[in-house]
Amino acid sequence: MPLKTYLQAINEALAQEMERDPDVFIMGEDVGPFGGCFGVTKGLYERFGEKRVKDTPITESAIIGAATGAAAAGLRPVCEIMFVDFIGVALDQLFNQAAKMRYMFGGKAKIPMVLRTPQGAGIGAAAQHSQSLEAWFAHVPGLKVAMPATPYDAKGLLISAIRDDNPVVFLEHKLLYGVEGDVPDEIYTVPFGRAAIHRFGDDVTIVATAKMVHTALEAAEILARDGISAEVVDPRTLVPLDSETIIRSVQKTHALVVVHEAVKHAGFGAEIAAQVAEAAFDYLDGPIMRVAAPFTPVPFSPPLEQAFLPNAGDIVAAVRKIRG
Amino acid sequence: MPLKTYLQAINEALAQEMERDPDVFIMGEDVGPFGGCFGVTKGLYERFGEKRVKDTPITESAIIGAATGAAAAGLRPVCEIMFVDFIGVALDQLFNQAAKMRYMFGGKAKIPMVLRTPQGAGIGAAAQHSQSLEAWFAHVPGLKVAMPATPYDAKGLLISAIRDDNPVVFLEHKLLYGVEGDVPDEIYTVPFGRAAIHRFGDDVTIVATAKMVHTALEAAEILARDGISAEVVDPRTLVPLDSETIIRSVQKTHALVVVHEAVKHAGFGAEIAAQVAEAAFDYLDGPIMRVAAPFTPVPFSPPLEQAFLPNAGDIVAAVRKIRG
Amino acid sequence: MALTDDKLLQMYQTMIRIREFETKVQEFFAAGKIPGFVHLYIGEEAVATGTCAVLQPKDYITSTHRGHGHLIAKGGDLKRMMAELFGKRTGYCKGKGGSMHIADVELGILGANGIVGGGGPIANGAALAAQYRGTDQVAVCFFGDGAANQGTTQEAMNLASAWKLPVIFVNENNGYGISCPTCKSMAVADIADRAAAYDMPGVVVDGNDVLAVYEAVGEAAARARRGDGPSLIECKTYRWRGHFEGDVCTYRDEAELQTWMEKDPIKRLGERLRDQGILTDDRDRSLREAVAKELEEAVSFAEQSPLPAPEEVLEDVYA
Amino acid sequence: MALTDDKLLQMYQTMIRIREFETKVQEFFAAGKIPGFVHLYIGEEAVATGTCAVLQPKDYITSTHRGHGHLIAKGGDLKRMMAELFGKRTGYCKGKGGSMHIADVELGILGANGIVGGGGPIANGAALAAQYRGTDQVAVCFFGDGAANQGTTQEAMNLASAWKLPVIFVNENNGYGISCPTCKSMAVADIADRAAAYDMPGVVVDGNDVLAVYEAVGEAAARARRGDGPSLIECKTYRWRGHFEGDVCTYRDEAELQTWMEKDPIKRLGERLRDQGILTDDRDRSLREAVAKELEEAVSFAEQSPLPAPEEVLEDVYA
Ligand SMILES: Cc1ncc(C[n+]2csc(CCOP(=O)(O)OP(=O)(O)O)c2C)c(N)n1
Ligand SMILES: Cc1ncc(C[n+]2csc(CCOP(=O)(O)OP(=O)(O)O)c2C)c(N)n1
Ligand SMILES: [Mg+2]
Ligand SMILES: [Mg+2]
């Protein structure tokens, strides 16, 4: 399979779906000729024109609302919020309008829209440009939430998201944009609600999302050297969540560590831990550990930012702790 | 002690703190002569005047921002958002500005503000006027989050909130406004980060918040009839969270049920369950159960709304499930 | 556009249908048969009626918390509306939405809205779809004087004008946002003046004169269908009832209400039509009887319809 | 207000300090010594300088992502600023904030801001505190042309005018929001026209003429201190560098940049002062040497300062 970056995979998914379906279009700040702040939409304006690749003013509520209204009217907008951190000026249009319309209207509306936005720390962008807020979106009935960790999943999940008849929050990790992986040229979908097992193991289950999947795989390598065999599971979508795969893995390994980059307190890892503590309690040999960011805003200076980010050592330590 | 309603307790706390400290003032929609949508600020305009009880336009971002800026300048604003559901139009000012200023500025700012807002379903107000969003606020470093369940706690926690030098989200439950309880006339504080044990028991720990504390106590009564002795713990504040009291209780009872009105998925109950699954795993005799709302928006029609809301029967069933 | 007698009588009857519907809602709310909040449109009938008389079924509207009038004027079915208010399974939203969330997407009604200022961005989206497809549909965003100050509304007006979207922003200035008089929520006297901030036409019309509203919206719609972009129309009107049922209006005085009740939009059109010989007593009686009958049916439909079953709470979250 | 020679020379020097500071930042960013994003103010110096020349230390400002110029003009310490950009513990924010979050609350600088439109509501709050206490302080909200379309900015202008808050909304219209020209983000030619939507004075000034800015802001400040409420001042200017360092400006042409570089605000004031005999070559040289020396010191302070220790990540979350 051809090697492509995570960014190229997303760009390709957008291009191929726009090619396939004239109702799909893109909206966002600087997504046009500029190609997007991170370059994700590069070339699409030239290829599909101003009508289908729309630069917007700096007006996130109006962007999400325009996507919601256009979707209610039958189009399939893919809108971009330049950084997930900006969602606070526009969350109402997403969580009270797009997410709830179908239910409030008694099932009589469809809102097939995608909101693409990058998350994550690691580039010194500080507290308002580095957050991971998936836990907020996952708490909103009516939204689906995707969080790809690999170029392959990025393309396949985005195509599924665009074809989904519900509002989907598609969370990209800005530090993964440059990561390469095998990505087929042809169109394919990765179904929502199906976790990926990136590494099989028997001694501990490590559930991780986005960039932390790679960190978990590093940790698994280290653990392997000490003869501890870790299974690394990536849910890929938080809503719907493939609880079954996670639970089956824990039933096999009898140990669970949950890893994410967002702050630990009230983070999504708590949901995974809580589900396992209910559904697989009898299979657990020891405490469920969570490895996540401390309860602080994301700091600017590299040594602080590195201290903020969970790393492979933290995961290894957590695994060792369970195994006493 | 004199009996007062939860609403009167909040009103009294506001009045007494405004009396005590000229820097304390109130801002919000219809909080003036109208007395607030639920009547919480009744009489304060007449008593303290237009300068200290300010009616605002319908402009939540500007309200929270005005509170943030005024607090940064040394005042102690208490602003009201009429329903927590409206926070989506204004969340940026709270989570990226008020909450993070101190940290981003290297500890050189203080933002002593309170955001009061009612949560909760049960009055047929439907999907955009009935939510419980505490999990969102609890995921934001820099915010403190209070959730009183009784008139006594409402007064004491609000006074602590007003005196706190950090932004505090004070979550009232609209169905508790009419509930009566003992409330001293004099000023007193209930410290943040200290849970209340409303009923002592040995067989199971039930951690519940806001209105669900009362539902949990009902359940405890029912369980008592079958000889099951339940301990009912109310964290009272989610940030800071009194994990110690919860864990000590579980170490005694060996069983945990977490109850809240918010939707279960990625709700705050998951955080409590996850903390216990890590810190008290060895004390648990069975799975940790969560009782919370299903993953749907809040429906309008009474039978649907009642089906949405967790009730004592659900809690009893969860306890029975743990005990096999 | 010249109005045929039929069209005029239709508008007259639509206002009566709204008035009578709201009057029934008032009764049943007082009787405890309608849960939740209801915000009545009595006194403001001319705005929704004059506006929607311009629109075609394919056109869109976004409504507000005070939405019954908009829905009726856009063609909403009184039976399903009343059933929804009663929380019945046969209601527009199967009892899931209630007063603040009634919608009929087939009729282009993208929903009442519980969020003040929530509709503008969504109306833009519907208008964008029309522009994208090259149809001549327009979208109307109804919003109140209070909603005019919300950032979402102002962002929506800017985007609509920057993109020349076929949107008509119809402001219902009834003088108050709950208890807050417009003079306290904004420094300008006319919300229409804000149109200039977005380089769109802005006009003030007598919101109790259904023909004036019809005229202004008609021009705005023609402009929008021509591709010349959005307009802002401020309709000065007044709500006769409290903000919601139960509000006793301590913040405004009786005299103010009286002067506005004398400007009753229904009475005014009625007299006009009588002077022109278009409306006779007989015609008036038969019109009103038809409305009364329709409402009887709507009410008994609502009363006789079943409540939703508890397990339905889990349905309709995802498509 | 008549300007003394000293004050004029101060303004001249302040612009040079900003220019030279930014030039150093540009170098060190290119050299990889400054992490994250930096948005340079080169070319826009007259706006911050003319505005802050009106203000007193007790007055407040809210800044933006392009904030270095505002901070310097309001009296920020170059040492601690540069140290912060380098991510050092001795920086304004102990390395926690970086370019987009530098603040000095003692100097009334309520922070640069990473959120476009984030400052307006906060400036209102500071102004509200002044009004509440009956002081004559004012608050300046700096915001860009792109930020003018954000709902928060528009809400802030409405609240400030409804409450007659002592706020001055200083719009820095540099023609672009990243790659988006103002003509695509709004239909109006002048953002100042939006003042009328809130019944506040709105003026357009040449943002590259520091004296014109000083004059306009001076009037607005006097008005605000009198209790007559807010004003909107649109300063037409241009950024010479990319949106952030690294942006190669594919969206605008060289010629446009050239015409604006000819309007260099520093050169313009320099010539004016020379014509008036206020500035001599000697004076100019000594001024620039002083700035150069100050920057040397700032840079070596930044370079020699320690990085924060990892465990400091946990400090300063709560008071
Ligand atoms: C974002 C938001 N803020 C506040 C409210 C509470 N609220 C409901 S209606 C209303 C007044 C609206 O006034 P206006 O826009 O003039 O409409 P009117 O009620 O007068 O028709 C308010 C403040 C809300 N529903 N949503
Ligand atoms: C709410 C929000 N949306 C988008 C951005 C991304 N962003 C940062 S600066 C900028 C352009 C701002 O343009 P303008 O206000 O004109 O200021 P300028 O950069 O021209 O000084 C954008 C879109 C942001 N930081 N915050
Ligand atoms: Mg009104
Ligand atoms: Mg700009």
Side-chain angles (χ1 to χ4, degrees):
Chain A
M1 264 192 283
L3 275 185
K4 288 166 196 158
T5 64
Y6 185 91
L7 183 144
Q8 288 165 332
I10 294 167
N11 180 275
E12 188 170 280
L14 291 168
Q16 291 180 339
E17 283 299 286
M18 287 177 80
E19 201 57 69
R20 190 188 60 78
D21 181 351
D23 287 343
V24 176
F25 69 100
I26 294 174
M27 260 190 300
E29 292 157 15
D30 306 287
V31 297
F34 194 69
C37 183
F38 292 96
V40 173
T41 56
K42 270 229 176 336
L44 299 178
Y45 177 90
E46 292 68 17
R47 182 158 164 201
F48 297 101
E50 188 158 20
K51 178 187 158 194
R52 298 184 66 191
V53 184
K54 305 181 77 67
D55 273 329
T56 67
I58 303 167
T59 182
E60 286 78 10
S61 288
I63 293 168
I64 298 177
T68 304
L75 297 180
R76 296 190 166 273
V78 179
C79 65
E80 172 177 309
I81 298 298
M82 198 181 283
F83 288 74
V84 74
D85 311 71
F86 309 155
I87 198 66
V89 297
L91 199 50
D92 183 74
Q93 287 291 318
L94 182 68
F95 98 105
N96 272 334
Q97 312 296 340
K100 295 181 170 61
M101 271 172 130
R102 180 176 182 80
Y103 190 83
M104 295 189 301
F105 299 175
K108 302 213 192 64
K110 260 195 286 180
I111 312 295
M113 65 178 271
V114 179
L115 188 158
R116 284 185 42 246
T117 188
Q119 299 207 121
I123 60 169
Q128 295 173 342
H129 288 74
S130 305
Q131 297 169 84
S132 294
L133 299 173
E134 66 273 8
W136 280 4
F137 303 116
H139 193 46
V140 180
L143 295 182
K144 293 188 178 180
V145 182
M147 246 179 126
T150 67
Y152 181 90
D153 287 346
K155 179 176 175 179
L157 287 170
L158 182 51
I159 291 172
S160 295
I162 292 170
R163 297 180 183 184
D164 199 289
D165 279 335
N166 300 284
V168 177
V169 177
F170 190 83
L171 300 170
E172 304 165 6
H173 195 299
K174 60 176 82 76
L175 263 83
L176 292 177
Y177 281 136
V179 170
E180 288 195 322
D182 293 330
V183 177
D185 292 330
E186 52 281 359
I187 289 194
Y188 63 91
T189 60
V190 169
F192 277 27
R194 197 96 44 90
I197 302 182
H198 286 289
R199 177 182 177 123
F200 291 88
D202 303 315
D203 302 332
V204 59
T205 298
I206 304 175
V207 175
T209 50
K211 179 159 145 279
M212 285 300 132
V213 170
H214 306 271
T215 311
L217 288 167
E218 267 178 66
E221 271 308 316
I222 298 167
L223 290 163
R225 291 190 219 117
D226 310 8
I228 298 173
S229 137
E231 180 148 299
V232 177
V233 180
D234 171 8
R236 297 198 288 197
T237 60
L238 306 189
V239 180
L241 178 69
D242 183 359
S243 309
E244 202 184 314
T245 297
I246 294 167
I247 287 162
R248 246 195 277 93
S249 175
V250 172
Q251 289 171 335
K252 176 178 69 174
T253 64
H254 309 296
L256 174 63
V257 175
V258 186
V259 188
H260 57 63
E261 183 180 317
V263 298
K264 182 196 280 185
H265 196 260
F268 191 76
E271 177 61 30
I272 293 172
Q275 288 196 17
V276 169
E278 172 173 343
F281 179 81
D282 299 335
Y283 294 84
L284 287 166
D285 288 344
I288 297 172
M289 304 297 292
R290 285 180 294 160
V291 176
F295 200 53
T296 78
V298 182
F300 161 69
S301 187
L304 299 176
E305 191 180 32
Q306 286 313 309
F308 173 89
L309 289 168
N311 59 41
D314 302 327
I315 299 171
V316 168
V319 170
R320 293 235 168 82
K321 198 149 172 226
I322 301 179
R323 307 173 38 98
Chain B
M1 261 190 290
L3 275 185
K4 289 166 195 160
T5 64
Y6 184 90
L7 184 144
Q8 288 165 334
I10 294 167
N11 180 275
E12 188 169 282
L14 291 168
Q16 291 180 338
E17 282 299 287
M18 288 177 80
E19 201 58 68
R20 190 187 59 80
D21 181 350
D23 287 342
V24 176
F25 70 100
I26 293 174
M27 262 190 298
E29 292 157 15
D30 306 286
V31 297
F34 194 69
C37 182
F38 292 96
V40 174
T41 56
K42 270 229 177 333
L44 299 178
Y45 176 89
E46 293 68 18
R47 182 156 164 202
F48 297 99
E50 188 157 19
K51 178 187 157 194
R52 298 182 67 191
V53 184
K54 305 181 79 66
D55 273 331
T56 67
I58 303 168
T59 181
E60 286 77 11
S61 288
I63 293 168
I64 298 177
T68 304
L75 297 180
R76 294 190 167 275
V78 179
C79 65
E80 172 178 309
I81 298 298
M82 198 182 282
F83 288 73
V84 74
D85 311 70
F86 309 155
I87 198 65
V89 297
L91 199 51
D92 184 75
Q93 287 292 318
L94 182 69
F95 99 104
N96 271 334
Q97 312 296 341
K100 295 181 170 62
M101 271 174 135
R102 181 177 182 78
Y103 190 83
M104 294 189 301
F105 298 174
K108 301 209 193 66
K110 262 196 284 180
I111 312 295
M113 64 178 271
V114 178
L115 189 159
R116 285 186 40 247
T117 187
Q119 298 207 118
I123 61 171
Q128 295 174 342
H129 289 74
S130 305
Q131 298 168 83
S132 294
L133 299 174
E134 66 273 9
W136 280 4
F137 303 116
H139 193 46
V140 180
L143 295 182
K144 293 187 179 181
V145 183
M147 249 179 120
T150 68
Y152 181 90
D153 287 346
K155 179 176 175 180
L157 287 169
L158 182 51
I159 291 172
S160 294
I162 292 170
R163 296 179 184 184
D164 198 289
D165 279 336
N166 300 283
V168 177
V169 177
F170 190 83
L171 300 170
E172 303 166 6
H173 195 299
K174 60 176 82 76
L175 264 84
L176 293 177
Y177 281 136
V179 169
E180 285 194 325
D182 293 330
V183 178
D185 292 330
E186 52 282 357
I187 290 194
Y188 63 91
T189 60
V190 170
F192 278 26
R194 200 98 41 90
I197 302 182
H198 285 289
R199 177 183 178 122
F200 290 88
D202 303 315
D203 303 333
V204 60
T205 298
I206 303 176
V207 176
T209 51
K211 180 159 146 278
M212 286 299 132
V213 170
H214 305 273
T215 311
L217 288 167
E218 266 178 66
E221 272 308 316
I222 298 168
L223 290 163
R225 291 190 220 117
D226 309 7
I228 299 173
S229 138
E231 180 149 300
V232 177
V233 180
D234 171 9
R236 297 198 287 197
T237 59
L238 305 189
V239 180
L241 179 68
D242 182 359
S243 309
E244 202 184 314
T245 297
I246 294 168
I247 287 163
R248 248 196 277 90
S249 175
V250 171
Q251 289 172 335
K252 176 178 67 173
T253 64
H254 309 295
L256 174 64
V257 175
V258 186
V259 188
H260 57 63
E261 183 180 317
V263 298
K264 182 196 278 185
H265 196 259
F268 191 77
E271 177 61 30
I272 294 172
Q275 287 195 20
V276 169
E278 173 173 343
F281 179 82
D282 298 336
Y283 293 85
L284 287 167
D285 288 345
I288 296 170
M289 303 297 293
R290 286 179 295 161
V291 175
F295 200 53
T296 78
V298 181
F300 161 69
S301 187
L304 298 176
E305 191 179 31
Q306 287 314 310
F308 174 88
L309 288 167
N311 59 40
D314 302 327
I315 299 172
V316 168
V319 170
R320 294 236 169 80
K321 197 149 174 224
I322 300 178
R323 305 173 41 94
Chain C
M1 294 157 266
L3 284 160
T4 64
D5 293 359
D6 279 1
K7 180 93 176 176
L8 286 163
L9 288 166
Q10 245 175 50
M11 288 164 77
Y12 178 65
Q13 189 170 25
T14 298
M15 290 198 287
I16 293 168
R17 291 172 77 233
I18 296 171
R19 176 76 51 93
E20 295 309 313
F21 182 89
E22 295 292 63
T23 306
K24 280 267 176 267
V25 172
Q26 177 186 329
E27 281 169 33
F28 286 107
F29 184 86
K33 293 199 173 180
I34 294 178
F37 293 103
V38 289
H39 306 83
L40 302 186
Y41 200 65
I42 295 175
E44 308 185 27
E45 297 88 350
V47 180
T49 304
T51 299
C52 295
V54 171
L55 304 181
Q56 297 163 26
K58 65 181 182 193
D59 294 321
Y60 294 101
I61 67 167
T62 58
S63 176
T64 69
H65 57 285
R66 198 175 302 288
H68 305 162
H70 309 139
L71 272 70
I72 292 171
K74 189 67 168 65
D77 169 22
L78 302 193
K79 279 202 182 74
R80 286 150 76 200
M81 281 179 68
M82 193 64 81
E84 186 59 32
L85 296 185
F86 275 64
K88 300 301 183 76
R89 178 195 273 144
T90 56
Y92 260 117
C93 315
K94 305 183 190 167
K96 290 193 163 84
S99 172
M100 281 192 284
H101 305 298
I102 301 182
D104 186 336
V105 178
E106 275 69 53
L107 288 174
I109 301 166
L110 297 181
N113 207 310
I115 300 299
V116 170
I122 296 167
N124 278 351
L128 175 61
Q131 187 185 63
Y132 189 90
R133 293 177 168 138
T135 72
D136 73 342
Q137 295 160 288
V138 301
V140 167
C141 165
F142 288 104
F143 68 111
D145 49 286
N149 299 318
Q150 191 64 272
T152 50
T153 302
Q154 301 181 76
E155 284 188 23
M157 289 199 263
N158 180 68
L159 186 70
S161 76
W163 286 2
K164 286 197 173 307
L165 297 175
V167 184
I168 306 160
F169 293 92
V170 176
N171 181 257
E172 307 183 297
N173 186 346
N174 59 12
Y176 295 86
I178 304 187
S179 72
C180 190
T182 51
C183 61
K184 287 188 73 185
S185 65
M186 61 185 75
V188 286
D190 295 326
I191 289 161
D193 291 350
R194 295 193 171 173
Y198 312 105
D199 190 36
M200 63 170 88
V203 297
V204 176
V205 304
D206 177 345
N208 285 25
D209 177 348
V210 68
L211 300 181
V213 173
Y214 177 82
E215 185 107 343
V217 174
E219 275 176 36
R223 176 184 161 82
R225 297 193 203 277
R226 274 199 311 272
D228 294 341
S231 305
L232 170 58
I233 296 165
E234 176 182 6
C235 305
K236 308 268 193 192
T237 184
Y238 199 82
R239 61 169 154 78
W240 291 9
R241 303 288 305 167
H243 169 69
F244 38 57
E245 285 305 284
D247 169 17
V248 293
C249 298
T250 48
Y251 47 84
R252 64 184 203 188
D253 66 337
E254 192 56 26
E256 186 181 79
L257 173 59
Q258 287 312 322
T259 50
W260 277 97
M261 288 181 75
E262 280 151 28
K263 301 187 210 156
D264 181 351
I266 298 177
K267 213 160 113 282
R268 276 169 73 181
L269 181 62
E271 281 158 9
R272 187 107 117 284
L273 297 185
R274 276 199 163 74
D275 297 347
Q276 297 172 10
I278 297 169
L279 181 67
T280 62
D281 288 354
D282 285 1
R283 191 62 193 262
D284 197 11
R285 200 176 314 102
S286 61
L287 279 175
R288 292 176 182 275
E289 278 165 6
V291 171
K293 186 160 171 307
E294 190 185 5
L295 272 160
E296 295 290 308
E297 286 164 12
V299 167
S300 58
F301 176 78
E303 294 196 296
Q304 281 151 38
S305 293
L307 285 164
E311 57 274 18
E312 291 172 35
V313 68
L314 300 178
E315 299 168 5
D316 301 319
V317 180
Y318 292 96
Chain D
M1 296 154 261
L3 284 160
T4 63
D5 294 358
D6 279 1
K7 180 93 174 178
L8 286 164
L9 289 165
Q10 249 176 48
M11 287 163 78
Y12 179 64
Q13 189 171 22
T14 299
M15 290 198 288
I16 292 168
R17 290 173 77 232
I18 296 170
R19 176 74 53 92
E20 295 308 314
F21 182 88
E22 295 293 64
T23 305
K24 280 266 175 275
V25 171
Q26 178 186 329
E27 280 169 33
F28 286 108
F29 184 85
K33 293 196 172 185
I34 294 177
F37 293 103
V38 289
H39 305 83
L40 301 185
Y41 200 64
I42 296 175
E44 309 185 28
E45 295 88 351
V47 180
T49 304
T51 298
C52 294
V54 172
L55 305 180
Q56 298 162 27
K58 65 181 182 189
D59 294 321
Y60 294 101
I61 66 167
T62 58
S63 175
T64 69
H65 58 284
R66 198 175 302 287
H68 306 164
H70 309 139
L71 273 69
I72 293 171
K74 189 67 167 64
D77 169 22
L78 302 194
K79 280 202 182 74
R80 286 149 76 198
M81 282 179 66
M82 193 63 82
E84 186 59 33
L85 297 185
F86 276 64
K88 300 302 184 77
R89 177 195 273 147
T90 56
Y92 260 116
C93 314
K94 305 184 191 167
K96 291 193 163 87
S99 172
M100 282 192 284
H101 305 299
I102 301 180
D104 187 336
V105 179
E106 277 67 53
L107 288 175
I109 301 167
L110 297 182
N113 208 310
I115 300 299
V116 169
I122 296 167
N124 279 350
L128 174 61
Q131 187 185 63
Y132 189 90
R133 294 178 168 135
T135 71
D136 73 343
Q137 294 160 287
V138 301
V140 167
C141 166
F142 288 104
F143 68 110
D145 48 286
N149 299 317
Q150 190 65 272
T152 50
T153 303
Q154 300 180 74
E155 285 188 22
M157 289 199 260
N158 181 67
L159 186 70
S161 76
W163 286 2
K164 285 197 173 309
L165 297 175
V167 184
I168 306 160
F169 293 93
V170 175
N171 181 257
E172 305 183 299
N173 186 345
N174 60 12
Y176 295 86
I178 305 187
S179 72
C180 189
T182 52
C183 61
K184 287 189 75 185
S185 64
M186 60 183 74
V188 286
D190 295 325
I191 288 160
D193 291 349
R194 295 191 171 174
Y198 312 105
D199 190 37
M200 64 170 88
V203 296
V204 176
V205 303
D206 177 346
N208 286 25
D209 177 349
V210 69
L211 300 181
V213 173
Y214 178 81
E215 184 105 343
V217 174
E219 276 177 33
R223 176 185 161 82
R225 297 192 203 278
R226 276 199 311 273
D228 294 341
S231 305
L232 170 58
I233 295 165
E234 176 182 6
C235 305
K236 307 268 194 191
T237 184
Y238 199 81
R239 61 168 155 79
W240 291 9
R241 303 287 306 167
H243 170 68
F244 38 57
E245 285 305 285
D247 168 19
V248 293
C249 297
T250 48
Y251 47 84
R252 64 184 200 188
D253 66 337
E254 191 56 25
E256 185 180 81
L257 173 60
Q258 286 313 322
T259 50
W260 277 96
M261 287 181 78
E262 280 149 27
K263 302 187 209 156
D264 180 351
I266 298 177
K267 215 160 111 280
R268 276 168 74 181
L269 180 63
E271 280 157 8
R272 209 180 270 78
L273 297 185
R274 276 199 164 74
D275 297 347
Q276 298 171 10
I278 297 168
L279 181 68
T280 61
D281 288 355
D282 285 3
R283 190 62 191 263
D284 197 10
R285 199 175 314 105
S286 61
L287 278 176
R288 291 177 182 275
E289 279 164 8
V291 171
K293 187 162 169 307
E294 190 186 5
L295 272 161
E296 295 289 309
E297 286 164 15
V299 167
S300 58
F301 176 77
E303 295 196 296
Q304 282 151 40
S305 293
L307 286 164
E311 57 274 18
E312 291 173 35
V313 68
L314 300 178
E315 298 167 5
D316 301 319
V317 180
Y318 292 96

